Amino acid sequence: MSKGIEYCKKAKMMGADIALFPEIWNTGYVINEDMDKLLSDAVTSDDEFVRSYGVLAKELGMAIGITFLEKTDSLPKNSLILFDRHGHNVLHYSKVHTCDFGDEARLSQGDDFYVCELDTKDGKVNVGAMICYDREFPESARILMLKGAEIILVPNACPMEINRLSQLRSRAYENMLGIATCNYPKGKPDCNGHSSAFDGVAYMEDVEGSLDTCILEAGEEEGIFIADFDIEKIRRYRKSEVHGNAYRRPWKYSLITSKEKNEPFIRKDFRQ
């Protein structure tokens, strides 16, 4: 908690509007095999650990996306709360796509994806969230786009190699929105840094050729990394380009909502 508070203060001094943490910050993404220990590691959304960041957000005048292992009436959840610059809880999201094949099989799944209107000193922006493995499902970012998200915050705890970075690039490109991912540095726990940000803007009328949508890719080390999203540019781009919801034909996609699974995609550890 104290380290996170210190880094938030530094981020504010560097000009940040939003500070984002890696996945399950209160335990360092430790998900204990011992159920008693796992349950004791979990904290409620009004625990001092979480509330301290709400107080800090108001003190600094900066939004903070804090992540934690959340205590519930059953198994804990992998959660994020976004406090706005006034200290208000404006977004509470729990990971929908838990990794049923690993440690997260001991966690409960989130129920839905959410978007909030975040008030910043430079104006309002619509912000959503997905967490780590959510990235691997195009539907996660797609539903957030359909709900109005302009920026998606992505706490993370896994090795960010070229394929996972490419997934984030694709989610930003196909939905014409910004995606900011915060990962643990090399060796904590098995991660490798490479926190990243993509703004989704690939083409501009006044620029010849295509643009690199990556506006930040950090190295492996621990640190504070600033991504500068030009929200007005993203909004102009979304009004004229062909991606997002401009030319979708959802009435042809009914199979996507089918619950039926066939080989080779049958997995014994899959949870409904």
Side-chain angles (χ1 to χ4, degrees):
M1 184 173 71
S2 60
K3 182 175 186 176
I5 289 173
E6 175 191 355
Y7 273 48
C8 282
K9 290 178 179 178
K10 290 180 179 179
K12 175 62 178 180
M13 292 177 64
M14 295 167 67
D17 294 299
I18 306 173
L20 178 65
F21 283 85
E23 191 174 6
I24 312 186
W25 177 252
N26 75 309
T27 71
Y29 195 75
V30 172
I31 302 173
N32 273 285
E33 292 186 20
D34 183 285
M35 288 304 298
D36 290 337
K37 186 68 170 71
L38 174 65
L39 295 174
S40 68
D41 284 343
V43 298
T44 61
S45 59
D46 62 354
D47 183 85
E48 179 188 4
F49 177 88
V50 179
R51 287 189 294 103
S52 293
Y53 287 99
V55 172
L56 182 65
K58 182 177 181 179
E59 175 188 321
L60 297 178
M62 175 185 72
I64 298 176
I66 185 62
T67 61
F68 59 106
L69 187 67
E70 182 177 8
K71 185 186 294 292
T72 73
D73 292 335
S74 57
L75 295 174
K77 291 184 175 181
N78 181 340
S79 298
L80 170 142
I81 284 181
L82 179 63
F83 291 105
D84 69 10
R85 67 191 178 110
H86 309 291
H88 300 140
N89 176 346
V90 293
L91 181 68
H92 187 166
Y93 170 69
S94 296
K95 188 175 184 176
V96 167
H97 296 101
T98 51
C99 300
D100 296 344
F101 45 82
D103 290 341
E104 290 189 356
R106 297 188 291 279
L107 303 183
S108 296
Q109 305 157 25
D111 299 319
D112 202 350
F113 294 94
Y114 306 101
V115 173
C116 71
E117 184 180 71
L118 182 67
D119 174 52
T120 77
K121 69 180 188 304
D122 295 316
K124 295 180 179 180
V125 58
N126 293 330
V127 176
M130 58 186 188
I131 297 177
C132 198
Y133 190 51
D134 284 328
R135 164 201 65 245
E136 312 239 354
F137 300 87
E139 296 86 352
S140 305
R142 181 65 89 193
I143 194 69
L144 287 167
M145 179 275 293
L146 292 172
K147 289 185 174 185
E150 297 170 303
I151 300 288
I152 299 176
L153 305 178
V154 189
N156 198 80
C158 71
M160 292 306 298
E161 38 77 46
I162 187 171
N163 297 296
R164 287 170 173 149
L165 288 168
S166 296
Q167 287 176 323
L168 293 164
R169 183 189 296 272
S170 297
R171 300 295 89 82
Y173 171 78
E174 65 202 11
N175 292 295
M176 295 193 292
L177 45 68
I179 292 185
T181 301
C182 184
N183 195 32
Y184 286 99
K186 184 177 181 179
K188 304 289 185 179
D190 66 342
C191 302
N192 66 336
H194 292 277
S195 295
S196 63
F198 299 88
D199 68 1
V201 178
Y203 314 108
M204 295 294 287
E205 290 183 358
D206 57 344
V207 178
E208 183 177 352
S210 60
L211 304 174
D212 186 353
T213 64
C214 181
I215 59 175
L216 168 72
E217 183 179 342
E220 296 183 337
E221 73 280 4
E222 177 180 295
I224 301 170
F225 307 101
I226 301 292
D228 188 4
F229 288 99
D230 187 334
I231 298 298
E232 291 308 316
K233 181 171 76 171
I234 292 173
R235 288 172 177 166
R236 290 194 303 271
Y237 183 70
R238 300 181 102 194
K239 284 178 183 258
S240 61
E241 264 300 336
V242 301
H243 312 295
N245 199 24
Y247 294 100
R248 291 176 66 250
R249 293 179 169 85
W251 57 92
K252 297 182 180 290
Y253 309 154
S254 58
L255 187 60
I256 289 178
T257 60
S258 171
K259 295 182 179 181
E260 182 179 354
K261 289 180 181 286
N262 299 301
E263 292 292 356
F265 302 114
I266 305 298
R267 302 291 186 272
K268 292 182 179 179
D269 52 6
F270 172 73
R271 297 183 294 167
Q272 290 285 350

